[in-house]
Amino acid sequence: MVWKLVQGSGVVTTDDAVEVTNDATATAIESVQTVTSFFHLPTWFGRLLFILIAVFVMLMAVKLVNKAFRHTVDTMTAAGNTNVTLISFARYIVLAVVYFIGGVVIVSSIPGASDSLAAILASGGIVAVIVGFAAQETLGNVAGGVMILFFQPFVIGDFVRYNDVSGTIEEITLRHTVIRTPQNKRIIIPNGTINGSVLENANYGDSRICEFFNVSITYESDMEKAIDILRDEVMRNPLHLDVRTPETASTEPEVKVEVVELADSAIIIRAWLWAENQTNAMELKFALNRSVKKRFDAEGIEFAYPHLTIVK
C-alpha cells in the first residue's frame, strides 16, 4: 500500500492515508499483543494486576527516557555540541513510541477492548477525522520540525530574533519551537510558522556580535577628545573583542569610532562594539553606559539633551 501511494499521480488522498495508517497500526498492535499475551493471567484480578504493572512500567520508562535525554542534552550543550538539537528532537519520538506501546499493552489486557479497537481502526473513523481536519496544521508543524532538524537554520542555544521576539532557542519539539527571552519568558512558535518565516540568528556561522553604541555631545564639547575617550573606554572593557586581522592591525584602529551625524542640537558619535556573543555584547553595552558617563563628566564633555527656552 505504501508503494501504491508513491506511484501514480503522487497525490495522497484521505482514504489512502487512512488505509495505510490502519494497516500499520493494526500490525503494530498485533505484534505487541503477541508478546504481552504470554504474561496475561486468566482471572480478572490477574489482568488488573498486569494493567497496574504495565502503567507503572510505562511511567517509569517515560521518566527514565526524560532523565537520560535531558542529561545528554545538558552535557552536549556544555560542550558546545550542535547535535544537541537532534537529541532533543529524538526524545519526543522515543516518548511517542513508549506511550504507544504502553497504550496497546493496557488495551489488549482488557477483555473485548482489543477487538473494539480493531473495529474502530477498520472503520477508519478516528483516523479519518485526524487526517481530514488536523493533518494540514499538525503534519505541517511536524514537517517543519524535520526541516529545521535537517537544514539547521538554528539549533538549541542560538540567540535569535523572530518578528518582535528576541531570545535563546531552548527547545525544539515535534510540533513547536520554544524561545526563552531575556525576561525568562517562553515564546512557543509552531514549527510550520517559524520554518517559513524570516529569522535573524546571531549565532549562525559566526557567534561574534557587533553592536552600535551612540552618544550625543554638545557642539561646545571637544569632539576629538570625546572620540578618544569613547575608544579608550571600549578598549578597557574585558568583554571587548578585537576583530582586526594581522594584515589590518597596523592600519585600522582597534575600536572604530566615527561621527555619524551632525544633528540640530548634538554631535552624534558612534562606536562599533564587538563581542564574543550576544550576551557579552549586551553586558558590554550596559557597562559602557556607566563608564562613559563617569569619564565624560570627569573630562568636561557635555552630553546633549533637549533644552527649553522660555521667552517672556
Side-chain angles (χ1 to χ4, degrees):
M1 178 54 64
V2 175
W3 175 247
K4 179 181 177 182
L5 293 178
V6 176
Q7 290 178 322
S9 62
V11 178
V12 179
T13 65
T14 300
D15 293 337
D16 293 332
V18 169
E19 187 175 353
V20 171
T21 305
N22 288 347
D23 292 343
T25 307
T27 302
I29 290 177
E30 183 179 353
S31 301
V32 175
Q33 288 176 341
T34 301
V35 176
T36 58
S37 61
F38 294 103
F39 301 96
H40 289 163
L41 298 178
T43 63
W44 272 98
F45 176 77
R47 287 182 176 272
L48 178 60
L49 180 62
F50 180 81
I51 291 174
L52 293 177
I53 294 175
V55 172
F56 176 77
V57 171
M58 181 182 68
L59 295 178
M60 288 300 298
V62 169
K63 184 177 181 180
L64 290 175
V65 168
N66 282 325
K67 184 177 180 180
F69 272 93
R70 284 170 181 166
H71 175 73
T72 303
V73 167
D74 292 341
T75 302
M76 296 177 67
T77 301
N81 192 332
T82 58
N83 289 326
V84 64
T85 304
L86 176 62
I87 298 299
S88 179
F89 196 86
R91 176 167 72 99
Y92 294 94
I93 298 178
V94 175
L95 288 176
V97 173
V98 171
Y99 280 120
F100 174 78
I101 295 177
V104 172
V105 169
I106 294 171
V107 171
S108 64
S109 303
I110 303 175
S114 57
D115 296 334
S116 300
L117 180 60
I120 293 175
L121 287 173
S123 65
I126 294 179
V127 178
V129 173
I130 296 175
V131 174
F133 293 97
Q136 289 187 351
E137 180 179 355
T138 303
L139 295 182
N141 290 329
V142 173
V146 173
M147 298 294 286
I148 291 172
L149 183 66
F150 183 77
F151 292 103
Q152 294 189 342
F154 54 83
V155 297
I156 292 177
D158 283 356
F159 190 90
V160 301
R161 186 190 308 274
Y162 173 74
N163 292 339
D164 295 330
V165 176
S166 297
T168 303
I169 299 294
E170 185 175 65
E171 190 176 22
I172 302 174
T173 72
L174 290 173
R175 178 191 174 275
H176 59 260
T177 296
V178 180
I179 298 179
R180 175 172 51 84
T181 68
Q183 295 79 25
N184 203 35
K185 298 178 181 179
R186 269 68 177 178
I187 308 299
I188 301 173
I189 306 171
N191 287 334
T193 302
I194 196 171
N195 185 58
S197 303
V198 177
L199 187 80
E200 179 183 326
N201 188 347
N203 301 99
Y204 191 84
D206 188 354
S207 63
R208 297 179 302 174
I209 295 293
C210 179
E211 290 280 356
F212 293 149
F213 185 81
N214 293 347
V215 293
S216 300
I217 63 173
T218 62
Y219 278 93
E220 292 75 22
S221 299
D222 189 333
M223 181 180 66
E224 296 299 331
K225 184 177 181 181
I227 292 175
D228 292 339
I229 292 174
L230 182 55
R231 178 179 289 114
D232 183 59
E233 288 300 315
V234 175
M235 294 172 59
R236 286 172 179 265
N237 195 294
L239 296 178
H240 156 68
L241 185 66
D242 187 359
V243 295
R244 295 177 300 174
T245 63
E247 293 77 15
T248 61
S250 59
T251 59
E252 296 180 0
E254 183 174 341
V255 179
K256 182 180 179 181
V257 182
E258 299 288 351
V259 177
V260 294
E261 185 179 355
L262 298 176
D264 292 339
S265 58
I267 300 174
I268 302 177
I269 303 174
R270 173 177 296 172
W272 277 252
L273 308 181
W274 281 93
E276 189 65 36
N277 50 55
Q278 181 68 37
T279 301
N280 286 0
M282 294 175 62
E283 293 181 359
L284 172 60
K285 201 169 185 178
F286 296 155
L288 285 176
N289 285 331
R290 286 174 171 265
S291 63
V292 171
K293 173 64 168 63
K294 292 180 179 179
R295 186 76 180 275
F296 275 16
D297 290 345
E299 299 287 346
I301 304 295
E302 295 185 23
F303 286 95
Y305 56 91
H307 290 77
L308 180 62
T309 301
I310 301 176
V311 180
K312 295 184 179 179

